[in-house]
Amino acid sequence: MKKTGINKNVIMLCECAVMVALATVLSLIKIEFPYGGSITICSMLPILIIGYRYKPLVGCLTGVVYGLIQMLFGMSNFAYATSWQAALMILFFDYLIAFGVIGLGGVFRGIKNQAVGLALGALLASVLRFLCHFLSGITVWAGFADGMPVWLYSLIYNGLYMLPEFGILIVAAIALGLLVDFRSEKLGAIKRNKLVIHCGGCMLNEKEVDSRRQKAENAGVPFTNYGIAISYMRGIFNGSLFVNKI
Protein backbone atom coordinates (compact mmCIF):
# COMPACT_ATOMS: atom_id res chain seq x y z
CA MET A 1 0.00 0.00 0.00
CA LYS A 2 2.84 2.35 0.83
CA LYS A 3 4.48 1.73 -2.54
CA THR A 4 1.21 2.58 -4.31
CA GLY A 5 1.03 5.86 -2.41
CA ILE A 6 4.56 6.76 -3.48
CA ASN A 7 3.77 5.91 -7.09
CA LYS A 8 0.71 8.16 -7.01
CA ASN A 9 2.80 11.05 -5.70
CA VAL A 10 5.42 10.48 -8.40
CA ILE A 11 2.71 10.44 -11.07
CA MET A 12 1.23 13.65 -9.65
CA LEU A 13 4.63 15.39 -9.67
CA CYS A 14 5.27 14.24 -13.23
CA GLU A 15 1.88 15.55 -14.35
CA CYS A 16 2.56 18.89 -12.64
CA ALA A 17 5.93 19.18 -14.39
CA VAL A 18 4.43 18.32 -17.78
CA MET A 19 1.59 20.82 -17.30
CA VAL A 20 4.03 23.59 -16.29
CA ALA A 21 6.04 22.87 -19.43
CA LEU A 22 2.88 22.84 -21.58
CA ALA A 23 1.65 26.10 -20.05
CA THR A 24 5.05 27.68 -20.70
CA VAL A 25 5.02 26.61 -24.36
CA LEU A 26 1.46 27.92 -24.81
CA SER A 27 2.45 31.23 -23.19
CA LEU A 28 5.09 31.76 -25.90
CA ILE A 29 2.37 31.88 -28.58
CA LYS A 30 1.03 35.30 -27.72
CA ILE A 31 0.08 38.88 -28.47
CA GLU A 32 2.21 40.80 -26.01
CA PHE A 33 1.40 44.16 -24.39
CA PRO A 34 4.12 46.82 -23.86
CA TYR A 35 4.17 46.87 -20.02
CA GLY A 36 3.43 43.22 -19.31
CA GLY A 37 0.43 41.00 -19.94
CA SER A 38 -0.40 39.07 -23.09
CA ILE A 39 -3.12 37.16 -24.89
CA THR A 40 -2.08 33.51 -25.18
CA ILE A 41 -3.56 30.23 -26.41
CA CYS A 42 -5.16 29.16 -23.09
CA SER A 43 -1.82 28.99 -21.25
CA MET A 44 -3.72 29.01 -17.93
CA LEU A 45 -5.58 25.79 -18.73
CA PRO A 46 -2.84 23.25 -17.79
CA ILE A 47 -2.55 24.80 -14.30
CA LEU A 48 -6.34 24.86 -13.94
CA ILE A 49 -6.49 21.15 -14.84
CA ILE A 50 -3.91 20.28 -12.17
CA GLY A 51 -6.00 22.13 -9.58
CA TYR A 52 -9.07 20.25 -10.79
CA ARG A 53 -7.49 16.77 -10.97
CA TYR A 54 -5.78 17.01 -7.59
CA LYS A 55 -6.35 19.55 -4.83
CA PRO A 56 -6.51 23.33 -5.33
CA LEU A 57 -3.41 23.58 -3.12
CA VAL A 58 -1.47 21.39 -5.57
CA GLY A 59 -2.76 23.57 -8.41
CA CYS A 60 -1.69 26.75 -6.60
CA LEU A 61 1.83 25.45 -5.93
CA THR A 62 2.09 24.39 -9.58
CA GLY A 63 0.91 27.86 -10.57
CA VAL A 64 3.60 29.47 -8.41
CA VAL A 65 6.27 27.41 -10.21
CA TYR A 66 4.79 28.51 -13.52
CA GLY A 67 4.80 32.10 -12.24
CA LEU A 68 8.52 31.84 -11.46
CA ILE A 69 9.19 30.78 -15.04
CA GLN A 70 7.09 33.65 -16.35
CA MET A 71 9.05 36.01 -14.11
CA LEU A 72 12.30 34.85 -15.70
CA PHE A 73 10.86 35.70 -19.11
CA GLY A 74 9.73 39.10 -17.85
CA MET A 75 12.73 40.25 -15.80
CA SER A 76 12.82 43.49 -17.79
CA ASN A 77 9.61 44.57 -16.01
CA PHE A 78 11.54 44.98 -12.76
CA ALA A 79 13.40 47.88 -14.37
CA TYR A 80 10.21 49.93 -13.93
CA ALA A 81 10.22 49.42 -10.14
CA THR A 82 11.14 52.66 -8.39
CA SER A 83 11.57 51.05 -4.94
CA TRP A 84 11.96 47.67 -3.30
CA GLN A 85 8.27 47.77 -2.39
CA ALA A 86 7.39 48.19 -6.06
CA ALA A 87 9.68 45.27 -6.94
CA LEU A 88 7.86 43.09 -4.42
CA MET A 89 4.51 44.13 -5.89
CA ILE A 90 5.70 43.04 -9.33
CA LEU A 91 7.10 39.79 -7.95
CA PHE A 92 3.94 38.77 -6.12
CA PHE A 93 1.02 40.43 -7.91
CA ASP A 94 2.31 40.15 -11.47
CA TYR A 95 3.82 36.69 -11.12
CA LEU A 96 3.74 34.44 -8.04
CA ILE A 97 0.25 35.16 -6.68
CA ALA A 98 -1.18 36.09 -10.08
CA PHE A 99 -0.39 32.66 -11.52
CA GLY A 100 -0.68 30.76 -8.24
CA VAL A 101 -4.39 31.59 -7.86
CA ILE A 102 -5.15 29.74 -11.12
CA GLY A 103 -5.02 26.49 -9.16
CA LEU A 104 -8.02 27.62 -7.07
CA GLY A 105 -10.17 26.89 -10.10
CA GLY A 106 -10.15 23.28 -8.91
CA VAL A 107 -12.61 24.07 -6.09
CA PHE A 108 -15.50 23.28 -8.46
CA ARG A 109 -14.51 19.62 -8.88
CA GLY A 110 -17.56 18.60 -6.83
CA ILE A 111 -19.98 19.77 -9.52
CA LYS A 112 -21.39 16.73 -11.36
CA ASN A 113 -21.05 18.23 -14.82
CA GLN A 114 -17.31 18.39 -15.43
CA ALA A 115 -17.55 20.96 -18.23
CA VAL A 116 -19.52 23.31 -15.97
CA GLY A 117 -17.03 22.80 -13.13
CA LEU A 118 -14.07 23.62 -15.37
CA ALA A 119 -15.89 26.64 -16.83
CA LEU A 120 -16.56 28.03 -13.35
CA GLY A 121 -12.96 27.29 -12.41
CA ALA A 122 -11.78 29.22 -15.47
CA LEU A 123 -13.97 32.16 -14.46
CA LEU A 124 -12.69 32.18 -10.87
CA ALA A 125 -9.04 31.84 -11.96
CA SER A 126 -9.39 34.66 -14.49
CA VAL A 127 -11.09 37.02 -12.02
CA LEU A 128 -8.50 36.40 -9.31
CA ARG A 129 -5.59 36.81 -11.72
CA PHE A 130 -7.14 40.02 -13.06
CA LEU A 131 -7.46 41.41 -9.52
CA CYS A 132 -3.77 40.73 -8.91
CA HIS A 133 -2.73 42.60 -12.05
CA PHE A 134 -5.22 45.36 -11.26
CA LEU A 135 -3.62 45.93 -7.83
CA SER A 136 -0.19 45.99 -9.44
CA GLY A 137 -1.49 48.47 -12.01
CA ILE A 138 -2.75 51.00 -9.47
CA THR A 139 0.53 50.92 -7.56
CA VAL A 140 3.61 50.04 -9.60
CA TRP A 141 2.32 51.14 -12.99
CA ALA A 142 0.39 54.22 -11.86
CA GLY A 143 2.96 56.51 -13.51
CA PHE A 144 1.82 55.36 -16.95
CA ALA A 145 -1.77 56.54 -16.43
CA ASP A 146 -0.91 59.83 -18.19
CA GLY A 147 -3.59 61.97 -16.51
CA MET A 148 -6.21 59.21 -16.50
CA PRO A 149 -7.55 58.03 -13.13
CA VAL A 150 -5.20 55.30 -11.99
CA TRP A 151 -7.93 52.75 -11.28
CA LEU A 152 -9.45 53.32 -14.72
CA TYR A 153 -6.08 52.97 -16.44
CA SER A 154 -5.39 49.69 -14.65
CA LEU A 155 -8.92 48.44 -15.35
CA ILE A 156 -8.68 49.14 -19.09
CA TYR A 157 -5.09 48.03 -19.60
CA ASN A 158 -5.44 44.73 -17.77
CA GLY A 159 -8.94 44.14 -19.11
CA LEU A 160 -7.73 44.45 -22.70
CA TYR A 161 -5.73 41.24 -22.46
CA MET A 162 -7.51 39.40 -19.62
CA LEU A 163 -10.95 39.41 -21.30
CA PRO A 164 -9.72 37.70 -24.51
CA GLU A 165 -7.53 35.42 -22.38
CA PHE A 166 -10.60 34.40 -20.35
CA GLY A 167 -12.68 33.89 -23.49
CA ILE A 168 -10.12 31.52 -25.01
CA LEU A 169 -9.65 29.75 -21.68
CA ILE A 170 -13.34 29.07 -21.01
CA VAL A 171 -13.97 27.74 -24.53
CA ALA A 172 -11.01 25.36 -24.25
CA ALA A 173 -12.02 24.32 -20.70
CA ILE A 174 -15.58 23.46 -21.75
CA ALA A 175 -14.41 21.60 -24.87
CA LEU A 176 -11.92 19.45 -22.94
CA GLY A 177 -14.39 19.00 -20.08
CA LEU A 178 -16.82 17.36 -22.50
CA LEU A 179 -14.22 15.01 -23.95
CA VAL A 180 -11.68 14.02 -21.28
CA ASP A 181 -12.40 12.57 -17.84
CA PHE A 182 -10.07 14.55 -15.56
CA ARG A 183 -11.52 12.97 -12.40
CA SER A 184 -10.20 9.49 -13.10
CA GLU A 185 -6.68 8.49 -12.10
CA LYS A 186 -5.87 7.55 -15.68
CA LEU A 187 -6.87 10.18 -18.22
CA GLY A 188 -9.28 8.93 -20.83
CA ALA A 189 -12.29 9.83 -22.91
CA ILE A 190 -15.59 10.34 -21.09
CA LYS A 191 -17.82 7.33 -21.62
CA ARG A 192 -21.29 8.24 -22.84
CA ASN A 193 -23.27 5.46 -21.14
CA LYS A 194 -27.00 6.09 -20.82
CA LEU A 195 -27.57 3.75 -17.88
CA VAL A 196 -25.57 1.50 -15.55
CA ILE A 197 -27.38 -1.69 -14.47
CA HIS A 198 -25.30 -3.25 -11.69
CA CYS A 199 -25.51 -6.74 -10.24
CA GLY A 200 -26.83 -7.34 -6.74
CA GLY A 201 -23.31 -7.04 -5.36
CA CYS A 202 -23.31 -10.47 -3.67
CA MET A 203 -19.53 -10.82 -3.99
CA LEU A 204 -18.75 -7.15 -3.31
CA ASN A 205 -18.67 -5.10 -0.15
CA GLU A 206 -20.72 -1.96 0.37
CA LYS A 207 -17.73 0.33 -0.17
CA GLU A 208 -16.97 -1.11 -3.63
CA VAL A 209 -20.58 -0.86 -4.79
CA ASP A 210 -20.84 2.70 -3.49
CA SER A 211 -17.59 3.60 -5.29
CA ARG A 212 -19.01 2.38 -8.59
CA ARG A 213 -22.25 4.23 -7.97
CA GLN A 214 -20.32 7.42 -7.21
CA LYS A 215 -18.36 7.14 -10.47
CA ALA A 216 -21.58 6.80 -12.44
CA GLU A 217 -23.10 9.75 -10.57
CA ASN A 218 -20.05 11.93 -11.27
CA ALA A 219 -20.41 11.11 -14.96
CA GLY A 220 -24.11 12.02 -14.85
CA VAL A 221 -25.18 8.44 -15.65
CA PRO A 222 -28.21 6.87 -13.85
CA PHE A 223 -27.32 3.86 -11.69
CA THR A 224 -29.53 0.94 -10.70
CA ASN A 225 -29.34 -2.85 -10.20
CA TYR A 226 -30.74 -5.95 -11.88
CA GLY A 227 -33.59 -6.43 -9.40
CA ILE A 228 -35.01 -2.95 -9.81
CA ALA A 229 -34.48 -2.96 -13.59
CA ILE A 230 -36.23 -6.34 -14.06
CA SER A 231 -39.16 -5.38 -11.81
CA TYR A 232 -39.58 -2.16 -13.78
CA MET A 233 -39.48 -3.96 -17.16
CA ARG A 234 -42.04 -6.53 -15.95
CA GLY A 235 -44.37 -3.79 -14.76
CA ILE A 236 -44.32 -4.71 -11.06
CA PHE A 237 -42.01 -1.92 -9.87
CA ASN A 238 -44.78 0.47 -8.77
CA GLY A 239 -46.64 -2.36 -7.08
CA SER A 240 -43.58 -3.39 -5.12
CA LEU A 241 -43.15 0.17 -3.91
CA PHE A 242 -46.77 0.19 -2.78
CA VAL A 243 -46.37 -3.08 -0.84
CA ASN A 244 -43.17 -1.78 0.75
CA LYS A 245 -44.97 1.33 2.00
CA ILE A 246 -47.69 -0.84 3.64
Side-chain angles (χ1 to χ4, degrees):
M1 295 295 292
K2 187 176 181 181
K3 184 178 179 180
T4 302
I6 293 174
N7 287 340
K8 286 183 178 179
N9 289 334
V10 170
I11 291 171
M12 180 185 71
L13 289 172
C14 289
E15 281 191 28
C16 291
V18 169
M19 288 303 195
V20 168
L22 178 59
T24 302
V25 171
L26 291 173
S27 72
L28 298 176
I29 307 170
K30 61 186 176 180
I31 299 173
E32 195 164 9
F33 282 58
Y35 304 115
S38 57
I39 301 171
T40 68
I41 302 180
C42 55
S43 61
M44 295 166 61
L45 185 58
I47 310 302
L48 174 63
I49 289 173
I50 288 296
Y52 188 84
R53 274 182 60 72
Y54 299 101
K55 296 178 180 179
L57 177 59
V58 176
C60 289
L61 293 175
T62 306
V64 169
V65 174
Y66 174 57
L68 283 170
I69 295 174
Q70 290 301 302
M71 183 191 72
L72 294 176
F73 285 126
M75 288 298 290
S76 59
N77 288 327
F78 285 93
Y80 296 98
T82 56
S83 63
W84 65 268
Q85 293 94 335
L88 285 179
M89 286 293 294
I90 294 174
L91 173 64
F92 288 106
F93 288 95
D94 277 333
Y95 294 107
L96 301 190
I97 297 177
F99 291 103
V101 294
I102 299 173
L104 292 175
V107 298
F108 297 104
R109 178 188 169 96
I111 294 177
K112 291 182 181 179
N113 189 311
Q114 180 179 253
V116 173
L118 284 171
L120 290 173
L123 174 61
L124 176 63
S126 298
V127 169
L128 292 176
R129 182 185 163 191
F130 170 79
L131 288 175
C132 289
H133 294 313
F134 176 79
L135 290 173
S136 177
I138 62 176
T139 53
V140 179
W141 309 99
F144 295 91
D146 196 23
M148 184 186 298
V150 174
W151 66 268
L152 183 60
Y153 167 76
S154 184
L155 184 70
I156 294 174
Y157 183 88
N158 291 297
L160 282 174
Y161 67 86
M162 280 306 302
L163 279 176
E165 183 81 357
F166 165 66
I168 297 171
L169 174 64
I170 196 169
V171 169
I174 292 173
L176 281 180
L178 292 171
L179 297 174
V180 182
D181 185 5
F182 291 111
R183 291 181 174 130
S184 63
E185 288 187 15
K186 294 181 179 179
L187 291 177
I190 292 178
K191 296 179 180 179
R192 301 297 178 184
N193 298 320
K194 293 184 178 180
L195 175 66
V196 172
I197 301 178
H198 202 278
C199 66
C202 306
M203 304 298 291
L204 302 173
N205 58 37
E206 182 181 354
K207 183 178 180 181
E208 177 62 26
V209 175
D210 188 63
S211 173
R212 296 181 181 185
R213 180 196 60 78
Q214 188 63 50
K215 287 179 181 178
E217 184 178 319
N218 289 339
V221 180
F223 183 94
T224 187
N225 61 41
Y226 283 135
I228 293 176
I230 292 172
S231 67
Y232 181 82
M233 288 185 285
R234 293 181 64 86
I236 63 174
F237 179 70
N238 292 331
S240 64
L241 286 179
F242 178 74
V243 171
N244 188 44
K245 286 180 181 178
I246 293 175

